[in-house]
Amino acid sequence: MSKEDKVDKELDLSNAGRGVWLVKVPKYIAQKWEKAPSNMDVGKLRISKTPGQKAQVSLTLTQAVVKLHPDDAEIPTEHILDVSVVTKQTLGVFSHMASNETNHLKDTVSSDPEKLYMEGRIVQKLECRPIADNCYMKLKLESIRKASVPVRKVQPIDKIVQNFKPVKDHAHNIEYRERKKAEGKKARDDKNAVMDMLFNAFEKHQYYNIKDLVKITKQPIGYLKEILKEVCDYNMKNPHKNMWELKKEYRHYKTDSEKKDDDKTATDSDTD
């Protein structure tokens, strides 16, 4: 949501001073209450106070909500609520009502899409737990049995079912092969032709690494190394480590004396 979409709304705080309870109930109770009609009594709360002792709170579900769906498993009806006071924490209950509901109740026209209310401040937390009777033990045993059933199981098939047939070839494998085919494989040229390319390259530079030679000759690296081992030496030491150089019998580099003679000849010719 952008800053332009945010709208300041008024909050009704008329019930801010009211104390409310936050109750945690078992899942089977929550499911029953969600299915119950809004006008049905779902339970009775009993608070027993003894002087000098903590108040005892119990919950009894009504038979109407217990028998709401006869096919469902039987659930316990008697429960105890363990009370704990909320400390070092501020919790509240809020509600909202759509504008059409507000207009129906108050016969007023409101431009706000909904009305916000604070229903009260939570003063106590309660945790609802069932009494460990036979009904609860049966319910717990059934839940353990359902949880132990494996999600996947081996199922024998007596006829061809398309859903269970293995995939002949996966899409990513097909895509990889097509891409390799489009790029094409480097074809091996004649050995003499490759050697000519190498000699021409070494006339320009004395040392090459394998990557540069692959780019120059456009040959498979394995095939190129076989030829290089015949006509080149691989340097293992600095300053030309990991570089290829022609063997002595294939080199045609001029020595320093030859270079001086060439320079002298060129000077004499210029003088003449």
Side-chain angles (χ1 to χ4, degrees):
M1 179 181 292
S2 62
K3 293 182 179 180
E4 291 77 4
D5 296 334
K6 293 182 179 179
V7 179
D8 293 334
K9 299 178 182 179
E10 293 185 1
L11 177 63
D12 190 333
L13 299 176
S14 57
N15 293 325
R18 181 169 60 181
V20 296
W21 289 0
L22 177 63
V23 184
K24 181 181 179 182
V25 298
K27 187 175 181 179
Y28 60 85
I29 294 182
Q31 290 174 345
K32 287 287 187 181
W33 285 354
E34 286 178 357
K35 298 175 183 178
S38 58
N39 58 349
M40 177 184 289
D41 292 334
V42 295
K44 293 182 179 180
L45 199 65
R46 185 180 297 106
I47 302 175
S48 303
K49 293 184 178 180
T50 304
Q53 295 183 3
K54 194 175 181 180
Q56 301 293 325
V57 184
S58 62
L59 172 67
T60 302
L61 299 180
T62 61
Q63 289 298 314
V65 73
V66 172
K67 303 296 184 181
L68 191 60
H69 294 278
D71 296 336
D72 294 344
E74 186 179 359
I75 62 173
T77 57
E78 299 295 331
H79 299 78
I80 296 174
L81 278 73
D82 296 327
V83 183
S84 61
V85 181
V86 178
T87 58
K88 299 181 181 179
Q89 197 173 20
T90 302
L91 300 174
V93 178
F94 299 87
S95 64
H96 66 90
M97 183 179 295
S99 59
N100 56 352
E101 298 178 8
T102 307
N103 295 339
H104 177 72
L105 293 174
K106 298 182 179 181
D107 295 330
T108 60
V109 178
S110 176
S111 60
D112 294 337
E114 60 182 6
K115 184 71 175 178
L116 304 179
Y117 298 89
M118 183 173 183
E119 300 295 345
R121 182 173 56 86
I122 295 174
V123 295
Q124 284 184 331
K125 289 183 180 180
L126 296 92
E127 185 165 355
C128 180
R129 58 182 178 86
I131 297 175
D133 54 5
N134 291 333
C135 180
Y136 173 73
M137 291 303 176
K138 289 180 180 178
L139 182 67
K140 196 68 178 176
L141 183 63
E142 181 64 18
S143 64
I144 294 173
R145 186 191 66 79
K146 289 181 179 179
S148 62
V149 176
V151 178
R152 299 180 179 179
K153 59 182 180 180
V154 178
Q155 180 179 352
I157 301 175
D158 54 358
K159 59 181 179 180
I160 297 177
V161 181
Q162 296 294 332
N163 295 341
F164 294 95
K165 288 186 69 175
V167 179
K168 184 178 180 180
D169 201 352
H170 293 281
H172 62 273
N173 291 334
I174 298 173
E175 181 183 356
Y176 175 77
R177 286 198 299 271
E178 289 179 352
R179 188 173 67 252
K180 292 297 289 184
K181 188 184 296 184
E183 293 175 356
K185 294 184 177 179
K186 294 178 180 178
R188 292 190 177 190
D189 290 338
D190 182 69
K191 183 177 179 181
N192 292 330
V194 176
M195 292 178 69
D196 289 340
M197 287 188 284
L198 290 174
F199 288 139
N200 290 333
F202 280 106
E203 286 180 1
K204 299 176 183 177
H205 299 285
Q206 185 176 355
Y207 302 97
Y208 284 94
N209 59 32
I210 189 65
K211 290 183 179 179
D212 292 335
L213 292 174
V214 169
K215 290 181 181 179
I216 293 170
T217 61
K218 297 181 180 179
Q219 299 298 305
I221 188 169
Y223 177 57
L224 182 60
K225 283 185 176 180
E226 292 178 4
I227 300 175
L228 286 172
K229 290 177 182 178
E230 294 183 14
V231 298
C232 295
D233 292 328
Y234 185 69
N235 292 292
M236 302 293 292
K237 297 180 180 179
N238 290 325
H240 303 291
K241 189 176 181 181
N242 301 331
M243 305 284 282
W244 292 89
E245 179 188 14
L246 284 176
K247 291 183 177 180
K248 292 182 179 180
E249 56 267 31
Y250 297 107
R251 296 176 192 170
H252 299 287
Y253 308 124
K254 293 181 179 180
T255 61
D256 293 338
S257 59
E258 290 175 345
K259 290 180 179 179
K260 289 179 181 179
D261 293 341
D262 291 343
D263 293 340
K264 185 178 180 181
T265 303
T267 303
D268 293 342
S269 61
D270 292 341
T271 302
D272 293 342

